[in-house]
Amino acid sequence: MAEKIIMGKEGKLQVPNNPIIPFIEGDGIGPDIWKASVRVFDAAIKKAYGGSKEIEWLKVLAGEEAFIKTGEWMPLATMQAFKDYLISIKGPLTTPVGGGIRSLNVALRQELDLYVCLRPIKYFEGTPSPMWQPEKVNMTIFRENTEDIYAGIEFMTGTPEAKKLLTFLMKEMDVKKIRFPETTSIGIKPISKEGSERLIRAAIQFAINHKLPSVTLVHKGNIMKYTEGAFKNWGYELAEREFAGEVYTWQQWERTKKESGEAVANEEMKISAIGGKVIIKDAIADNFLQQALLAPQDYSVIATLNLNGDYISDALAAQVGGIGIAPGANINYKTGHAVFEATHGTAPRFANTNTMNPSSVILSGVMMLEYMGWRDAAELITNGVAKTIRNKTVTIDFYNLMKAATLLKTSEFADEVIKNL
Ligand code: NAD
């Protein structure tokens, strides 16, 4: 009998053999891609567990389909299902234009307090890439998902709210740096210690669990000292306080250097964990973006703020084949809530053409299966996708960039992955 996934007492997920998992097909190219992906998930689970495990998929509505059928973009019943069943998966959703809800994805993240946006960046051999050695790119991005300038606290110039805030800043806070107050819009950038710590804690724990060499805190603390600079400092403090014995920080290294005059070799600091410890280091965001191109092998887990994380996620995804193949998840590790999703949009021009790449949703499913502890099924799919790309049997986005490849439709790509599981 199908059951709910629940969070156990010790903060560990309890996943039954027949879990109910809600899904949103998505708008635009979503339905084509979902139909292909779900066949891959079911086939891999069957192959891995011979029928002893099976997902019961529960269709829920959001986006255009929901609006047409119910008059609401994000029906309450959908939000409730996402809350009740803990784990869910979705295709891309149209962002409604004008008034009301800003973005359905943002609404979901806020309602479920999904504070980690997790984006693994992994290269599949043969994928067309602008990099010289794309195989050196292997990173996992932990992007803070609930704070920063993205919190949506902003006021348009000319409104009473903007005027009130500007007057307060200039008169009561003696702020003199607003260059053109008459035509200034204002946005607020809240960065908290709790918010930064829970994100960085998840990133370090992930690095430890997966035996990865380093966590890099990416920030613009040189300019924004009390928000992004504080993020970095809180990160280092947390690492030394909560993970002593398991990590080695750049700040510890600096102290050791000063105290003993002896330095751990810089190279060693950069790439390999010292005595099995995870290295905690930091990088300023602009420098990180060039280092990620010049020396991607120096970086493994990345912990960063919301806006930096948005840019970095897509930039790194482009290094290994672009958004057609980049999976993602939004997670609250405390409650267990997790929404796995395609990172691309609805590409409306290609709706119902059965031509687009389903890999982003397929690999989001891999992340979901890993999160559920169904590692064998996850591994089968990863291998299946890898072999399908290596064989040059691909959809139009890769076909256009490959030599001597075979062009497949979305559904045919799924057939091929299933054959190669
Ligand atoms: P988009 O990602 O939909 O499309 C940009 C281009 O990327 C497409 O024209 C196509 O060439 C390519 N592309 C996208 N997905 C692909 C795939 N699976 N395979 C191959 N190529 C692919 O971005 P957009 O045009 O800026 O946005 C369209 C709509 O999607 C908007 O309403 C936007 O708000 C929404 N959106 C939703 C999400 C989400 O739900 N997670 C994310 C981004 C954008």
Side-chain angles (χ1 to χ4, degrees), residues 340-383:
F340 296 83
E341 65 172 353
T343 55
H344 55 73
T346 58
R349 272 196 310 134
F350 301 100
N352 306 314
T353 58
N354 192 26
T355 56
M356 293 285 102
N357 193 342
S359 298
S360 179
V361 169
I362 293 177
L363 295 173
S364 301
V366 168
M367 290 173 76
M368 184 183 82
L369 293 166
E370 280 169 357
Y371 185 72
M372 291 161 60
W374 292 16
R375 296 223 166 77
D376 294 335
E379 205 170 308
L380 285 179
I381 301 177
T382 306
N383 294 341

Side-chain angles (χ1 to χ4, degrees), residues 51-91:
S52 66
K53 291 183 194 287
E54 193 181 351
I55 292 175
E56 171 131 334
W57 300 104
L58 174 68
K59 180 172 163 133
V60 293
L61 297 178
E64 270 167 12
E65 189 183 359
F67 190 70
I68 291 163
K69 288 186 180 156
T70 71
E72 286 184 81
W73 289 94
M74 177 64 75
L76 275 180
T78 299
M79 199 57 100
Q80 197 57 45
F82 276 43
K83 279 186 186 157
D84 289 348
Y85 294 99
L86 284 192
I87 294 180
S88 40
I89 185 163
K90 61 176 276 295

Side-chain angles (χ1 to χ4, degrees), residues 56-183:
E56 171 131 334
W57 300 104
L58 174 68
K59 180 172 163 133
V60 293
L61 297 178
E64 270 167 12
E65 189 183 359
F67 190 70
I68 291 163
K69 288 186 180 156
T70 71
E72 286 184 81
W73 289 94
M74 177 64 75
L76 275 180
T78 299
M79 199 57 100
Q80 197 57 45
F82 276 43
K83 279 186 186 157
D84 289 348
Y85 294 99
L86 284 192
I87 294 180
S88 40
I89 185 163
K90 61 176 276 295
L93 294 173
T94 306
T95 302
V97 182
I101 214 159
R102 262 189 181 221
S103 150
L104 302 173
N105 297 312
V106 174
L108 263 176
R109 284 170 206 169
Q110 286 178 345
E111 187 71 20
L112 300 174
D113 194 21
L114 304 171
Y115 60 87
V116 171
C117 176
L118 185 62
R119 295 276 297 264
I121 309 288
K122 178 177 153 42
Y123 181 67
F124 285 93
E125 191 195 327
T127 304
S129 157
M131 295 287 286
W132 173 47
Q133 293 174 305
E135 66 284 356
K136 289 191 170 172
V137 185
N138 188 0
M139 299 187 217
T140 307
I141 303 164
F142 280 73
R143 163 186 167 193
E144 205 291 322
N145 223 2
T146 62
E147 301 198 306
D148 206 347
I149 204 83
Y150 275 29
I153 311 166
E154 52 174 18
F155 304 99
M156 184 64 192
T157 179
T159 61
E161 292 84 359
K163 276 190 191 140
K164 199 168 169 181
L165 199 48
L166 285 162
T167 308
F168 172 74
L169 288 172
M170 291 187 295
K171 295 240 163 87
E172 304 209 20
M173 303 291 287
D174 201 27
V175 171
K176 298 207 166 55
K177 293 178 186 163
I178 296 172
R179 185 70 190 84
F180 300 110
E182 290 305 314
T183 56

